[in-house]
Amino acid sequence: MAGKYYEEFEVGETIEHEKRRTVSERDNQAFCDMTMNQQPLHLDADLAADTRFGERLVNGIYTMALATGLSIPDTTDGTIVANLSYDDVEHPNPVFHGDTIYARSTVLDKRETSDGERGVVTMRVEAFTVGDGDAEADGGGGDGSDGDAEDDTLVCEFERTVLSLKRENAE
C-alpha cells in the first residue's frame, strides 16, 4: 500500500508524483465516448483547425481525472474511505494529443472527524505538461519532468478533499 494514512499527511507538504502519462488521441476519443461528451473541439479535426488552438483539445475533465489518478499512488491508494469533493477546478492552458502530463499535490488542510476515527484531508492538485525546451512557460515545474521545469505548463489545478483512514483504525 503506497497511500498515506491521515496521520502521515503534513499541512504544507508538496508531493511530487513520479508517474506520468502521454495523452493519446485514443485516450481523448474513448473518454469522450464513455462520457457522451461529443464537443466538436475535442473530436473534429477540421473544426478545431479553424480555432485559435489550431488543433483538437483534450477533454478537460479527462485531464482532471488523469491528474487525480496520477496522484493516488502517493496519497490515497488503499487508505481512502471516500472522495468528498473536487473544488476550484481551473484549466489555465489546453492539453493536446501527445502531451505528457505529470502532477503534484500540496496538502492544504487536515482535521479529524468528529468521532476521531478518521480524518479529512484537502490537497491542491496541479497538473503540468512537460515542456520541450522551446515552449514559453506559463508556470509549472517540479520533479515530475525530464526537462527544464521552466518549460512545463500548468494545465489543470483543483482542490481534492478526501476522507482518510487513520492507521490505528485501518483493517
Side-chain angles (χ1 to χ4, degrees):
M1 176 178 344
K4 293 181 177 234
Y5 289 100
Y6 170 75
E7 300 89 341
E8 297 171 316
F9 286 102
E10 297 293 330
V11 173
E13 81 173 302
T14 297
I15 304 161
E16 302 285 351
H17 308 296
E18 291 186 25
K19 289 188 180 263
R20 305 175 343 164
R21 181 173 175 99
T22 300
V23 180
S24 70
E25 179 178 3
R26 182 180 176 280
D27 295 333
N28 189 47
Q29 179 72 53
F31 188 84
C32 287
D33 289 346
M34 287 187 296
T35 60
M36 299 180 69
N37 180 340
Q38 298 303 302
Q39 166 55 253
L41 189 55
H42 301 312
L43 303 171
D44 186 330
D46 289 333
L47 179 139
D50 291 332
T51 68
R52 63 179 246 193
F53 303 107
E55 61 183 293
R56 291 168 290 173
L57 302 181
V58 171
N59 185 308
I61 302 300
Y62 173 78
T63 302
M64 180 180 155
L66 177 58
T68 301
L70 293 171
S71 74
I72 285 173
D74 302 317
T75 58
T76 59
D77 188 17
T79 59
I80 191 173
V81 176
N83 281 307
L84 300 177
S85 69
Y86 294 91
D87 299 297
D88 299 322
V89 180
E90 295 185 25
H91 299 277
N93 292 289
V95 175
F96 301 100
H97 301 147
D99 283 350
T100 299
I101 306 291
Y102 70 94
R104 70 177 174 214
S105 299
T106 301
V107 180
L108 301 177
D109 189 43
K110 68 182 248 186
R111 63 176 173 78
E112 288 187 348
T113 56
S114 58
D115 62 12
E117 293 183 10
R118 295 169 291 200
V120 176
V121 179
T122 300
M123 296 167 268
R124 184 89 180 148
V125 180
E126 298 170 297
F128 300 90
T129 56
V130 175
D132 62 8
D134 295 325
E136 291 187 24
D138 185 40
D143 294 335
S145 68
D146 281 337
D148 185 351
E150 292 180 14
D151 290 334
D152 298 348
T153 302
L154 180 66
V155 293
C156 184
E157 60 183 326
F158 54 92
E159 290 183 11
R160 176 179 176 228
T161 301
V162 300
L163 182 60
S164 181
L165 291 172
K166 291 177 92 175
R167 183 178 294 280
E168 64 193 40
N169 296 323
E171 295 180 326

